[in-house]
Amino acid sequence: MVDWTAVDLALADIESDRDRATCQRLSLDYAHFSPILWPQLQDRAADRVLYPRSEADLLAIARVCVQEQIPLTVRGAATGNYGQCTPLHGGLLVDLTAFDQIVWQRESRLRVQAGAKLAAIDRALRPSRWELRWAPSTYRTATIGGFFAGGSGGIGSITYGQLRDRGNLLGAKVLTLEAEPRFVELQGEAVQAINHAYGCTGLITELEIPLAPAYDWQECMVNFPSWAAALDFAQAIAEADGLIKKMVCVLADPIPSFCKALKDSWQTGESAVLLLLTEPSLEGATAIASELGGRISWQRSPQDQPLFTLMEQSWNHTTLHARSVDPVWTYLQMLLPLGEEAQFIRHIQQDWGNNLLWHLELIRSHGQVRVAALPLVRFEGRDRLQQLTDQLTAAGAILFDPHTYCLEDGGMKQIDLQQLTFKEQVDPQGLFNPGKMRAWREKYGDRTV
Amino acid sequence: MVDWTAVDLALADIESDRDRATCQRLSLDYAHFSPILWPQLQDRAADRVLYPRSEADLLAIARVCVQEQIPLTVRGAATGNYGQCTPLHGGLLVDLTAFDQIVWQRESRLRVQAGAKLAAIDRALRPSRWELRWAPSTYRTATIGGFFAGGSGGIGSITYGQLRDRGNLLGAKVLTLEAEPRFVELQGEAVQAINHAYGCTGLITELEIPLAPAYDWQECMVNFPSWAAALDFAQAIAEADGLIKKMVCVLADPIPSFCKALKDSWQTGESAVLLLLTEPSLEGATAIASELGGRISWQRSPQDQPLFTLMEQSWNHTTLHARSVDPVWTYLQMLLPLGEEAQFIRHIQQDWGNNLLWHLELIRSHGQVRVAALPLVRFEGRDRLQQLTDQLTAAGAILFDPHTYCLEDGGMKQIDLQQLTFKEQVDPQGLFNPGKMRAWREKYGDRTV
């Protein structure tokens, strides 16, 4: 049993929340997108939420966790979808948002504290004409630490690939839960030990990342009479090496109607492509659109009043908007089979019709343009969802299950030995975010304690 | 017969060269790379070389050409390899190097006069942190007008594809040889009428192009025990979306020994990969190199003394260096079959051995990484070269013949109807660079006059 009086005394100098309601509220993320995840997570809560302001605070927290064998889970902005910041076994939830400083910037290399918000980083970098390579659709609130700890890519992946791809993460500073907690510096390949590990392999306090040139991104929406024409257009844009893009998103009919911001620019039956492009790329995109029968239904320059941005209609914001219209919608995540994307969709549509609405995001993967899909799925129970998943897999898609909080069952697909080995070094008691890493659970049980 | 006295009188205010030796020298380019082209071109010469300094000068020249039916060929820096600036039928050679101003720059969009040298443009842009998307290996002297009129790509194509790809040329101002010569402005798709047309479709005075972010490019050379390992490495770098590169060039053993600058960093038997990368990409590249058994044999930061640059060891500078060692070397240009590059090389090597040395340049084409080859070929006569060309084609390569001055027989492969139609409008007498466009020749003969 944890001696909470002793814990509270040891951490008395650090701001905290202790009441059950607050702890529970702060322990949850967007896992309610999943009717499968939510029942498993909605009652989980930390015992304490802590707001450290210094590395000394963090060391004090780590020492208490090690001594008292208390689980430690990190919270950024809780914009994840798979319970990344939800403590399965209580303990301390450490809010890192006070660690929000840019440490240094050297040309296209940035050192930043993990709690910095993505939008704030971009604002700070703007005068230097650099920006982050990616933005999740939650970029306004999400933190850089949470993004690398649990994200896989997003807006920007059409140019820079996925967060895990070589060259996209350069270094990290990590707090350990060894017998004597300390900060360790990871560089080179070693840094992959904390990339997309849900904070199971250390508490990330700083990240070193490469930047992208900050263009004045133009946003435009192009409507087509069919999803197939929209997909053709999206692929043509994505494959045009002379057109510089940050986002190529396809919303099949009637998904645009679910997004308040897009509704007025959409007519029944239309599928839409949402683009972020550089200004000189607009002419080429317009030419391709007119060749393929598209109409530009909405356009915005950075100089225009930003009533809304297409970035917040894409990726998991699409899911959010659909669920706000009708919570029966949930979603899946997959990579469509290369070169057979349209056939694949047609094939699946035969059986699933309007119970499956196609939301596609074009990305680069290992040097090629790939079509990722985050289709909206009408939820009709767990068995039916499994049936769909099986059919999609059989038809050649690679699925990344968003209905699990387990690292390896989601995006990773397999046990990451580097991450397991590193966790054994820095967290021998298994206190970091326990229960999320299957490799550890299978070897040591839910916790070693 | 041209009344040269009248011509000289009409153009008396414009600086010119008239002596045969100077006219001949200025009429030639690097076509001596080709033992097939050179005999056809070496005796060709303009009757006059003119150095206009204003649009009024250009209009005066154009009027005289139209009235007297004199061919007009443009000269930039004469760094082409296929006789682009060599007048086949005499006439006026118009040197455009006085038209070297940046007209304006708006974020990543540049308006520039055609005679501006690529290196000078980059120097002028540098404070704004933008640069040209491409550099040919002749970037120090080549002009932007000549590059777009006859180039296809080069250093930078690994990111931005080819000059002809959508989005890579935005606008142009062109002088016509209509009955009443005038300047016309081309925008959108219309601009393709002058892209890679050897100046047959108008005299380009200004170009509007998209820019690239100017990184502090790092140069490095990585040596491998075999060309196959070097190619593996080059492809891995090229396909890594998180690594930002400007050049990925493979020089199979013993090509590095032909380049004075590289010799000391090379050991017998080694093949080399020459890279231009961003600073944050070096770590990833180094990791891949060590996985694939490469050793970094040379490295340079922009801060270092620029004794030489790898840019001048690549593309057609490789050919230049080889020919300066032994003029028996000539070259070919091709795209290797996708996904079968190594098998292709092995297959061809069986028959041609050391008579064919593999120089590869990785580029992006329609969203994919492709391996272009500019192999050095030991010249053993026209028939033997044709035999090689046939075998390469049969094995699946797409060849771009560098041994022809004819537009369609080189890079274009087919008649460009847009260019022909535009030429019919702006050059009804066929005076622009006559003899270079097969489409015109077949329809109207070498000249209409």
Side-chain angles (χ1 to χ4, degrees):
Chain A
M1 280 294 292
V2 174
D3 177 355
W4 285 106
T5 313
V7 170
D8 290 341
L9 193 67
L11 302 176
D13 290 344
I14 302 170
E15 192 190 333
S16 65
D17 275 310
R18 300 180 194 180
D19 74 279
R20 175 77 191 174
T22 305
C23 285
Q24 181 156 35
R25 181 171 55 78
L26 294 173
S27 295
L28 297 172
D29 67 0
Y30 283 77
H32 54 78
F33 278 15
S34 162
I36 291 168
L37 264 184
W38 194 237
Q40 301 174 62
L41 297 176
Q42 61 177 333
D43 296 324
R44 311 287 177 131
D47 295 293
R48 302 286 185 274
V49 181
L50 286 158
Y51 303 90
R53 305 199 66 83
S54 66
E55 293 196 344
D57 287 352
L58 286 173
L59 277 174
I61 291 170
R63 286 199 195 99
V64 168
C65 285
V66 169
Q67 279 157 21
E68 301 287 335
Q69 301 182 338
I70 305 173
L72 189 166
T73 303
V74 174
R75 185 182 201 274
T79 55
N81 301 328
Y82 328 116
Q84 174 183 344
C85 73
T86 303
L88 297 178
H89 303 282
L92 304 185
L93 185 64
V94 178
D95 180 302
L96 274 196
T97 47
F99 293 78
D100 64 351
Q101 296 299 299
I102 287 178
V103 183
W104 50 252
Q105 181 195 357
R106 294 174 194 153
E107 207 230 13
S108 63
R109 187 186 277 260
L110 179 77
R111 183 84 178 189
V112 64
Q113 289 188 312
K117 291 187 186 306
L118 302 174
I121 297 171
D122 274 349
R123 269 196 305 276
L125 294 177
R126 192 71 199 178
S128 74
R129 303 291 299 167
W130 296 101
E131 67 179 15
L132 294 171
R133 287 186 172 180
W134 307 266
S137 63
T138 52
Y139 69 98
R140 287 205 218 197
T141 49
T143 65
I144 188 75
F147 187 43
F148 270 91
S152 57
I155 300 157
S157 284
I158 186 57
T159 295
Y160 298 102
Q162 304 283 89
L163 300 185
R164 278 194 75 84
D165 291 341
R166 221 149 200 164
N168 283 336
L169 178 59
L170 304 170
K173 188 174 184 177
V174 168
L175 175 65
T176 72
L177 289 180
E178 295 162 293
E180 190 51 54
R182 62 187 173 120
F183 291 97
V184 296
E185 180 66 34
L186 302 175
Q187 293 279 342
E189 293 302 291
V191 78
Q192 298 305 332
I194 58 91
N195 199 346
H196 197 88
Y198 286 180
C200 294
T201 57
L203 184 155
I204 304 165
T205 60
E206 289 181 12
L207 288 169
E208 200 171 313
I209 51 175
L211 298 171
Y215 286 93
D216 291 333
W217 296 106
Q218 311 286 314
E219 304 196 354
C220 79
M221 169 162 158
V222 190
N223 296 15
F224 291 86
S226 70
W227 65 261
L231 175 56
D232 280 350
F233 173 71
Q235 288 182 307
I237 295 286
E239 290 169 2
D241 301 308
L243 305 182
I244 310 302
K245 47 258 164 184
K246 186 164 176 167
M247 186 176 90
V248 182
C249 165
V250 180
L251 303 181
D253 169 53
I255 301 178
S257 71
F258 298 161
C259 307
K260 268 186 212 146
L262 307 181
K263 233 172 161 173
D264 293 344
S265 307
W266 173 84
Q267 288 168 13
T268 307
E270 285 182 328
S271 292
V273 178
L274 313 184
L275 297 175
L276 260 71
L277 292 167
T278 63
E279 186 276 329
S281 303
L282 277 178
E283 288 147 54
T286 305
I288 300 175
S290 86
E291 282 168 24
L292 296 177
R295 69 173 184 101
I296 295 177
S297 60
W298 185 85
Q299 206 169 339
R300 179 168 91 80
S301 291
Q303 293 74 32
D304 300 341
Q305 190 64 23
L307 292 174
F308 65 91
T309 163
L310 294 185
M311 292 165 72
E312 291 179 343
Q313 320 304 322
S314 73
W315 291 89
N316 265 317
H317 262 65
T318 313
T319 320
L320 180 75
H321 297 316
R323 287 179 50 79
S324 69
V325 170
D326 186 346
V328 74
W329 293 113
T330 185
Y331 70 125
L332 285 172
Q333 297 174 153
M334 70 197 78
L335 216 47
L336 301 193
L338 182 62
E340 299 164 19
E341 296 84 359
Q343 300 93 300
F344 175 91
I345 292 176
R346 263 185 217 107
H347 170 68
I348 299 295
Q349 242 184 347
Q350 285 171 1
D351 288 345
W352 294 85
N354 289 333
N355 293 318
L356 195 64
L357 302 180
W358 290 96
H359 163 205
L360 311 174
E361 298 283 352
L362 279 75
I363 63 170
R364 280 189 80 89
S365 175
H366 303 289
Q368 288 186 308
V369 172
R370 294 297 299 265
V371 180
L374 292 80
L376 297 170
V377 181
R378 184 180 297 276
F379 187 67
E380 300 173 309
R382 206 177 173 126
D383 291 348
R384 185 95 172 118
L385 190 65
Q386 187 59 50
Q387 194 185 329
L388 172 59
T389 301
D390 292 345
Q391 190 176 341
L392 292 164
T393 305
I398 300 168
L399 271 88
F400 307 95
D401 186 6
H403 302 287
T404 174
Y405 55 73
C406 171
L407 207 46
E408 294 93 335
D409 298 340
M412 304 298 305
K413 310 296 276 184
Q414 55 186 4
I415 284 172
D416 185 316
L417 263 184
Q418 182 187 3
Q419 293 190 345
L420 178 62
T421 307
F422 188 69
K423 185 174 173 69
E424 289 172 332
Q425 288 166 29
V426 299
D427 183 23
Q429 297 191 85
L431 297 171
F432 277 128
N433 210 354
K436 305 284 174 67
M437 187 187 269
R438 182 155 53 83
W440 181 273
R441 221 166 53 207
E442 286 173 357
K443 198 164 172 185
Y444 300 107
D446 247 8
R447 292 173 54 190
T448 57
V449 292
Chain B
M1 281 293 292
V2 174
D3 178 354
W4 285 107
T5 313
V7 169
D8 291 341
L9 193 67
L11 302 176
D13 290 344
I14 302 169
E15 192 190 333
S16 65
D17 274 310
R18 300 181 195 181
D19 74 280
R20 175 76 190 175
T22 305
C23 285
Q24 182 157 33
R25 181 172 55 78
L26 294 173
S27 294
L28 296 173
D29 66 1
Y30 283 76
H32 54 77
F33 279 15
S34 163
I36 291 168
L37 263 184
W38 194 237
Q40 301 174 62
L41 296 176
Q42 62 177 334
D43 296 324
R44 311 287 177 131
D47 295 293
R48 301 285 185 275
V49 181
L50 287 158
Y51 303 90
R53 304 199 65 84
S54 67
E55 292 196 344
D57 287 352
L58 286 173
L59 277 173
I61 291 170
R63 285 199 195 99
V64 168
C65 286
V66 169
Q67 279 157 22
E68 301 286 335
Q69 300 181 338
I70 305 173
L72 189 165
T73 303
V74 175
R75 186 182 200 274
T79 55
N81 301 328
Y82 328 116
Q84 174 183 343
C85 74
T86 303
L88 297 179
H89 303 282
L92 304 185
L93 184 64
V94 178
D95 180 302
L96 274 196
T97 47
F99 292 78
D100 64 351
Q101 296 299 299
I102 286 178
V103 183
W104 50 252
Q105 181 194 356
R106 295 174 193 153
E107 206 229 13
S108 63
R109 187 186 278 261
L110 178 77
R111 183 83 177 189
V112 65
Q113 288 188 312
K117 291 187 185 307
L118 302 174
I121 297 171
D122 274 349
R123 269 196 304 276
L125 294 176
R126 192 71 200 179
S128 73
R129 304 291 300 166
W130 296 102
E131 67 180 14
L132 294 171
R133 287 186 172 180
W134 307 266
S137 63
T138 53
Y139 69 98
R140 288 205 217 196
T141 49
T143 65
I144 188 76
F147 187 43
F148 269 92
S152 56
I155 300 157
S157 284
I158 186 58
T159 295
Y160 297 103
Q162 304 283 89
L163 300 185
R164 279 195 75 84
D165 290 341
R166 220 148 201 164
N168 283 336
L169 178 58
L170 304 170
K173 187 174 184 177
V174 168
L175 174 65
T176 72
L177 289 179
E178 294 162 293
E180 189 50 55
R182 63 188 173 117
F183 291 97
V184 296
E185 180 66 33
L186 302 176
Q187 293 280 342
E189 293 302 291
V191 77
Q192 298 306 331
I194 58 92
N195 199 345
H196 198 88
Y198 286 180
C200 294
T201 56
L203 184 155
I204 304 166
T205 60
E206 288 181 12
L207 288 169
E208 199 171 314
I209 50 175
L211 297 171
Y215 287 92
D216 292 333
W217 296 106
Q218 311 286 314
E219 305 196 355
C220 79
M221 169 162 158
V222 190
N223 296 16
F224 291 86
S226 70
W227 64 261
L231 175 56
D232 279 350
F233 173 71
Q235 288 182 307
I237 296 285
E239 289 169 2
D241 300 308
L243 304 182
I244 310 303
K245 48 256 165 185
K246 186 164 176 167
M247 186 175 91
V248 182
C249 166
V250 180
L251 303 181
D253 169 52
I255 301 178
S257 71
F258 299 161
C259 307
K260 268 185 213 147
L262 307 181
K263 233 171 161 174
D264 292 344
S265 307
W266 173 84
Q267 288 168 14
T268 306
E270 285 182 328
S271 293
V273 178
L274 312 185
L275 297 176
L276 260 71
L277 292 167
T278 63
E279 185 277 329
S281 303
L282 277 178
E283 289 147 53
T286 305
I288 300 175
S290 86
E291 282 169 23
L292 296 177
R295 68 173 184 101
I296 296 178
S297 60
W298 185 84
Q299 205 169 339
R300 179 167 91 80
S301 291
Q303 293 75 34
D304 300 341
Q305 190 64 22
L307 292 175
F308 66 90
T309 163
L310 295 185
M311 292 165 73
E312 291 179 343
Q313 320 305 322
S314 73
W315 291 89
N316 265 316
H317 262 65
T318 313
T319 320
L320 180 74
H321 297 315
R323 286 179 51 78
S324 69
V325 170
D326 186 346
V328 75
W329 294 112
T330 185
Y331 70 125
L332 285 172
Q333 298 175 152
M334 71 197 78
L335 216 47
L336 301 193
L338 182 62
E340 299 164 19
E341 295 84 359
Q343 299 94 300
F344 175 91
I345 292 176
R346 263 185 217 106
H347 170 68
I348 299 295
Q349 242 184 347
Q350 285 171 1
D351 287 345
W352 295 84
N354 289 333
N355 293 318
L356 195 63
L357 302 180
W358 290 96
H359 163 205
L360 311 173
E361 298 282 352
L362 279 75
I363 63 169
R364 282 260 288 262
S365 175
H366 303 290
Q368 287 187 308
V369 172
R370 293 298 299 265
V371 180
L374 291 81
L376 296 170
V377 181
R378 184 180 296 276
F379 187 67
E380 300 173 308
R382 206 178 173 125
D383 291 348
R384 186 92 173 120
L385 190 65
Q386 187 59 50
Q387 194 185 329
L388 173 59
T389 301
D390 292 345
Q391 190 176 342
L392 292 164
T393 305
I398 300 168
L399 270 88
F400 307 95
D401 186 5
H403 302 287
T404 174
Y405 55 72
C406 171
L407 206 46
E408 295 93 335
D409 298 340
M412 304 298 305
K413 309 297 276 185
Q414 55 186 2
I415 284 171
D416 186 317
L417 263 184
Q418 182 188 2
Q419 293 191 345
L420 179 62
T421 307
F422 188 69
K423 185 175 174 69
E424 289 171 334
Q425 288 166 30
V426 300
D427 183 23
Q429 297 191 85
L431 298 171
F432 277 128
N433 209 355
K436 305 284 175 68
M437 186 187 269
R438 183 156 53 83
W440 181 273
R441 220 165 54 207
E442 286 173 357
K443 199 164 171 185
Y444 300 107
D446 246 9
R447 292 173 55 189
T448 57
V449 291

